[in-house]
Amino acid sequence: MSDLVPVIGGALEKTGSVIVGAVRFGIVVAQLTVASATMAGLSHQVRSTFRYVEECASSVDRLADLAASKAVDQSTVNEHREAATVMRDCKEEAEAMAVECEEMSSLFHETADGHIADYGAVADAANNMPDGIEMADRTFYSNR
């Protein structure tokens, strides 16, 4: 075998293990942060959409009032009022969904913070090991 090919089990393997561990830590924190932001954004989007739906319901109510003032048949007026009511009834469920999304966003954020608190010091230590000092086997840290 060529002297240029590193031997598996040597310093290259240990360095690779440290790099993989640091990358995994960073990926987990990044994914949790993205999930938190995504859920917060979804909550905002749900509320924005249903503000629009509320405006639509008000518009349909105005159309029902206009139809009633123009002596349009009562079933048409009633259909408009029912449509506006359905729109408003959905808003309560959407608000509950928005609250759930906010709670999930907070939980993802707390989980990321907890992961950093639990493993951040280990990741920093692994990334900043002085030359000549080798990292312990990854399995040592896996049961923390």
Side-chain angles (χ1 to χ4, degrees):
M1 183 175 276
S2 167
D3 291 337
L4 298 176
V5 177
V7 177
I8 301 300
L12 180 62
E13 181 182 16
K14 290 183 180 171
T15 301
S17 177
V18 169
I19 291 170
V20 167
V23 168
R24 284 185 186 148
F25 172 80
I27 288 171
V28 167
V29 170
Q31 287 175 332
L32 289 167
T33 302
V34 167
S36 176
T38 300
M39 294 309 293
L42 181 58
S43 175
H44 174 73
Q45 187 64 36
V46 166
R47 285 197 172 104
S48 294
T49 299
F50 275 88
R51 275 192 294 276
Y52 170 74
V53 170
E54 177 61 37
E55 291 170 12
C56 290
S58 295
S59 176
V60 171
D61 278 335
R62 284 190 299 277
L63 287 173
D65 292 342
L66 178 62
S69 73
K70 301 286 184 184
V72 173
D73 65 286
Q74 192 59 45
S75 64
T76 300
V77 173
N78 290 343
E79 288 294 326
H80 279 74
R81 295 205 193 284
E82 285 178 32
T85 299
V86 168
M87 290 178 197
R88 288 191 180 96
D89 288 347
C90 292
K91 187 177 181 195
E92 187 174 308
E93 291 180 30
E95 181 59 28
M97 183 173 65
V99 168
E100 288 290 325
C101 290
E102 286 174 346
E103 289 173 2
M104 288 177 70
S105 173
S106 294
L107 290 173
F108 280 125
H109 183 74
E110 289 171 16
T111 302
D113 288 348
H115 193 69
I116 291 167
D118 288 346
Y119 299 104
V122 173
D124 286 343
N127 291 333
N128 297 308
M129 297 281 288
D131 290 336
I133 298 177
E134 292 185 17
M135 180 79 170
D137 187 287
R138 283 183 51 79
T139 58
F140 173 77
Y141 300 105
S142 66
N143 292 322
R144 270 196 43 146

